[in-house]
């Protein structure tokens, strides 16, 4: 008896699931994308071929509008997202010298600008939250210049690492080509990101009760730098 009830319940659940998928056919989409990024006004950034991975879920509201949520991780292989100050320079004390791996969360919509047969161009915009580890240079010691040298050499530095977050926005443009009865989409995308707010973390003096200057800078520090993301993506529509 229990076996018959289980089979009946499984059959009903299957029918309901098939009905749900048919009623929502191809309104939902899951995507994975890979690519790279360019950050402006920094000293250096990784030069890997692939530096980011992105996962996206979206849903069609109508023929023109799609809402989405997305998670982006970068960089993948390097230990730092970007180096913003010259390493162990005296001018960098109290500032963010480099940023570690960052996580990005986006929530927004995409509007279809133009479509013809299997080709689509869309414009997207979203609110974004990003967070990662910032390394602040709190103290550095340089040697005296040797004969014939203009400058000395740094031989000791102290850092204070902080997990910090930023709010901002992202705007992008993407192209998609669909096939297999519109079940699969592949394409390319590019997006610009801008985040607000200077950080003013309370830094610890690495050598208290000495003549080492306080690394805290009044009025805040680096804004999160402007960046461009670009890459390719593939999705499944259901």
């Amino acid at each position: 008896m229990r076996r018959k009830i289980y089979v009946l319940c499984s059959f009903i659940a299957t029918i309901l699931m098939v009905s749900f998928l048919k009623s929502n056919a191809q309104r939902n989409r899951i995507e994975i994308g890979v690519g790279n990024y360019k950050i402006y006004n920094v000293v250096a950034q990784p030069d890997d071929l692939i530096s980011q991975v992105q996962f996206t879920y979206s849903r069609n509201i109508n023929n023109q509008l799609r809402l989405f949520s997305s998670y982006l991780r970068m960089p993948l292989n390097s230990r730092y997202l970007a180096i913003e100050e010259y390493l162990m320079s005296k001018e960098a004390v109290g500032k963010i010298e480099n940023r570690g791996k960052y996580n990005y969360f986006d929530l927004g919509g995409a509007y279809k600008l133009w479509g013809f047969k299997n080709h689509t161009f869309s414009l997207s915009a979203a609110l974004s939250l990003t967070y990662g580890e910032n390394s602040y240079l709190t103290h550095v010691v340089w040697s005296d210049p040797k004969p014939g040298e203009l400058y000395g050499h740094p031989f000791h530095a102290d850092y204070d690492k902080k997990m910090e977050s930023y709010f901002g926005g992202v705007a992008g443009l993407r192209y998609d080509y669909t096939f297999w009865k519109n079940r699969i989409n592949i394409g390319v995308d590019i997006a610009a990101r801008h985040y607000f707010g200077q950080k003013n973390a309370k830094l610890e003096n690495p050598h208290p009760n000495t003549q080492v200057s306080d690394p805290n800078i009044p009025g805040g520090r680096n804004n999160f730098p402007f960046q461009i993301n670009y890459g390719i993506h593939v999705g499944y529509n259901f």
Side-chain angles (χ1 to χ4, degrees):
M1 184 65 179
R2 290 183 178 178
R3 181 180 178 82
K4 291 181 178 179
I5 294 176
Y6 174 79
V7 172
L8 179 61
C9 291
S10 299
F11 178 76
I12 294 174
T14 302
I15 294 297
L16 292 175
M17 181 62 69
V18 171
S19 300
F20 174 81
L21 291 177
K22 285 185 176 181
S23 64
N24 295 275
Q26 301 179 8
R27 296 188 62 183
N28 303 283
R29 175 184 292 176
I30 52 175
E31 286 182 343
I32 181 172
V34 295
N36 214 324
Y37 63 92
K38 171 65 176 178
I39 297 183
Y40 293 86
N41 298 321
V42 296
V43 174
Q45 64 184 61
D47 57 358
D48 300 327
L49 179 62
I50 297 178
S51 295
Q52 66 183 37
V53 61
Q54 187 169 15
F55 301 94
T56 304
Y57 166 76
S58 63
R59 180 175 174 85
N60 273 348
I61 303 303
N62 53 47
N63 290 334
Q64 299 295 123
L65 181 63
R66 176 182 293 272
L67 299 182
F68 68 87
S69 61
S70 180
Y71 168 74
L72 174 66
R73 171 77 169 185
M74 63 187 194
L76 298 179
N77 301 316
S78 176
R79 292 180 299 175
Y80 66 90
L81 177 75
I83 297 176
E84 298 191 22
E85 300 287 340
Y86 288 100
L87 299 180
M88 299 173 67
S89 67
K90 298 177 181 179
E91 294 77 12
V93 173
K95 300 178 182 179
I96 299 175
E97 187 178 274
N98 64 81
R99 300 179 187 270
K101 293 183 182 294
Y102 263 71
N103 303 273
Y104 299 76
F105 299 89
D106 303 334
L107 183 63
Y111 181 79
K112 184 168 70 174
L113 295 175
W114 178 83
F116 178 72
K117 294 185 177 180
N118 293 25
H119 306 272
T120 303
F121 283 92
S122 301
L123 181 67
S124 64
L127 297 176
S128 183
L129 167 69
T130 183
Y131 76 90
E133 185 179 73
N134 296 333
S135 293
Y136 291 87
L137 181 63
T138 56
H139 179 242
V140 64
V141 178
W142 282 58
S143 65
D144 295 327
K146 295 181 179 179
E149 292 183 337
L150 295 177
Y151 305 100
H153 302 277
F155 63 88
H156 174 78
D158 295 289
Y159 292 90
D160 196 352
K161 295 184 177 182
K162 303 285 187 179
M163 292 298 297
E164 295 180 317
S165 61
Y166 301 81
F167 288 96
V170 53
L173 181 67
R174 57 181 286 156
Y175 161 78
D176 284 286
Y177 176 79
T178 58
F179 59 96
W180 193 32
K181 298 181 180 180
N182 293 328
R183 291 290 182 180
I184 303 296
N185 68 284
I186 60 174
V188 295
D189 54 82
I190 185 170
R193 296 177 175 273
H194 180 73
Y195 295 89
F196 304 95
Q198 289 184 315
K199 294 302 175 183
N200 198 13
K202 178 63 177 178
L203 303 178
E204 297 294 332
N205 189 327
H207 303 285
N209 303 320
T210 67
Q211 294 183 348
V212 173
S213 59
D214 186 359
N216 291 281
I217 300 175
R221 299 178 177 82
N222 311 46
N223 284 319
F224 195 91
F226 178 78
Q227 69 181 82
I228 299 290
N229 301 103
Y230 54 91
I232 60 175
H233 58 262
V234 58
Y236 176 69
N237 301 270
F238 59 97

